[in-house]
Amino acid sequence: MTESAEPIRVGVLGARGRMGLEVCKAVDGAPDLELVAMIDQGDVLFSAEEGHAQVLVDFTSPDVVMDNLRWAIEHGINVVVGTTGFTEQRLDQVRGWLAAKPGVGVLIAPNFGIAAVLMMQFAAKAARYFESAEIIEQHHPRKFDAPSGTATRTAQVIAAARAEAGLGPMPDATKEEVEGARGANIDGVRVHAVRSAGLLAHQEVLFGTDGEILTIRHDSLDRVSFMPGVLLSVRNVGRLPGLTIGIDSLLD
Ligand SMILES: NC(=O)C1=CN([C@@H]2O[C@H](COP(=O)(O)OP(=O)(O)OC[C@H]3O[C@@H](n4cnc5c(N)ncnc54)[C@H](O)[C@@H]3O)[C@@H](O)[C@H]2O)C=CC1
Ligand SMILES: O=C(O)C1=N[C@H](C(=O)O)C[C@H](O)C1
């Protein structure tokens, strides 16, 4: 921020939630950002009089995020979204709303942790060299979706890298005796979701070939881990009209 630049006005949706609380603290502590609204389930917890939000940050739930996004885009407000549950169909819907508001930027990231982003990039790089790949994600038991957005995204990038390298289906002769025993199948990649007290957000990507295993592991031990990525997104979403997926392009 140059000395004369005005701070970016930021509103937080889901402000009472586990992530929302952390985002409010991070925005409040950033000199180049101003927290102007805190909203949770229709309750306006705080709203400054100085002006409307230029950027909304959404950490709510897959059930409500689409309504929030449509409202923000229609009102010409940029949005940074951490909420999960984005299918291709949902993303197409967002692209449709943005087509009518070409100046608006929406950045949706399944994971704002820098190490988590690197874990996905490393997994994409490794994928072509291994016959087998499986994902084990582990989260706190109050998480409302499974598999996690991060695991879904990781499976998608692994599947894309395998397809590009011309790899076929993975070797797997197992007949599932109990439904679900082999986990979810996302684009041909098996994903296993663990929920346990004591966990926050963790993921292992297991790659195997003859006589060799590579394990890539990521652990979020505290929700502060997501904040550098969230703030980076808030600072940049205004100069990224249209839909941006993930924060990879901001880290280059
Ligand atoms: N992209 C990332 O890096 C991360 C994404 N997440 C995702 O963020 C989402 C929220 O996670 P948590 O904070 O753990 O959940 P949470 O349940 O603690 O918080 C969600 C909050 O949203 C509020 N809410 C519900 N409907 C609302 C509405 N219409 N308007 C405004 N607020 C509303 C709820 O009252 C609650 O306070 C989940 O989808 C989770 O997977 C979580 C951590 C990191
Ligand atoms: O709900 C969570 O906690 C998390 N959600 C995101 C996901 O679904 O990938 C990111 C991180 O795993 C924490």
Side-chain angles (χ1 to χ4, degrees):
M1 184 178 73
T2 59
E3 294 252 325
S4 58
E6 292 289 318
I8 301 169
R9 297 189 300 277
V10 183
V12 177
L13 302 172
R16 269 203 204 105
R18 287 176 286 268
M19 282 298 290
L21 282 168
E22 207 62 61
V23 173
C24 290
K25 265 194 278 176
V27 170
D28 211 26
D32 58 333
L33 307 179
E34 186 186 358
L35 184 62
V36 295
M38 294 167 62
I39 295 161
D40 198 289
Q41 293 214 8
D43 292 343
V44 179
L45 310 178
F46 165 72
S47 176
E49 286 168 11
E50 294 84 53
H52 296 298
Q54 296 162 297
V55 178
L56 283 174
V57 181
D58 187 301
F59 280 94
T60 56
S61 92
D63 294 343
V64 302
V65 65
M66 292 302 279
D67 286 344
N68 291 345
L69 261 171
R70 185 166 51 187
W71 183 90
I73 293 168
E74 280 172 5
H75 286 79
I77 306 173
N78 304 305
V79 199
V80 170
V81 183
T83 307
T84 44
F86 280 89
T87 56
E88 263 315 307
Q89 197 187 2
R90 282 185 165 210
L91 294 174
D92 278 344
Q93 228 176 331
V94 175
R95 288 186 189 102
W97 298 331
L98 283 167
K101 288 279 184 179
V104 176
V106 171
L107 188 152
I108 302 175
N111 201 311
F112 285 98
I114 308 295
V117 173
L118 291 174
M119 174 265 294
M120 286 186 263
Q121 292 181 359
F122 297 157
K125 188 171 167 60
R128 61 178 302 151
Y129 302 106
F130 294 88
E131 281 174 82
S132 301
E134 302 227 355
I135 298 170
I136 304 110
E137 58 99 323
Q138 306 183 336
H139 281 83
H140 59 92
R142 281 173 298 171
K143 180 165 178 59
F144 33 63
D145 56 332
S148 71
T150 307
T152 301
R153 181 76 189 143
T154 312
Q156 289 166 345
V157 299
I158 289 172
R162 287 177 64 90
E164 201 183 325
L167 297 184
M170 298 178 203
D172 182 2
T174 305
K175 175 174 172 285
E176 230 178 16
E177 301 292 350
V178 176
E179 199 187 326
R182 290 285 294 115
N185 182 337
I186 298 181
D187 295 351
V189 181
R190 292 287 170 177
V191 179
H192 310 269
V194 176
R195 298 290 176 266
S196 171
L199 294 172
L200 200 149
H202 319 261
Q203 179 165 297
E204 280 187 6
V205 188
L206 201 73
F207 290 104
T209 189
D210 289 341
E212 249 190 333
I213 290 281
L214 170 69
T215 305
I216 303 175
R217 182 177 174 100
H218 170 257
D219 296 276
S220 276
L221 304 170
D222 190 305
R223 290 186 178 84
V224 295
S225 63
F226 304 112
M227 294 309 122
V230 172
L231 297 188
L232 185 67
S233 304
V234 167
R235 289 179 178 123
N236 284 284
V237 68
R239 60 168 187 81
L240 294 170
L243 180 60
T244 303
I245 305 293
I247 61 169
D248 303 60
S249 61
L250 301 182
L251 300 176
D252 292 339

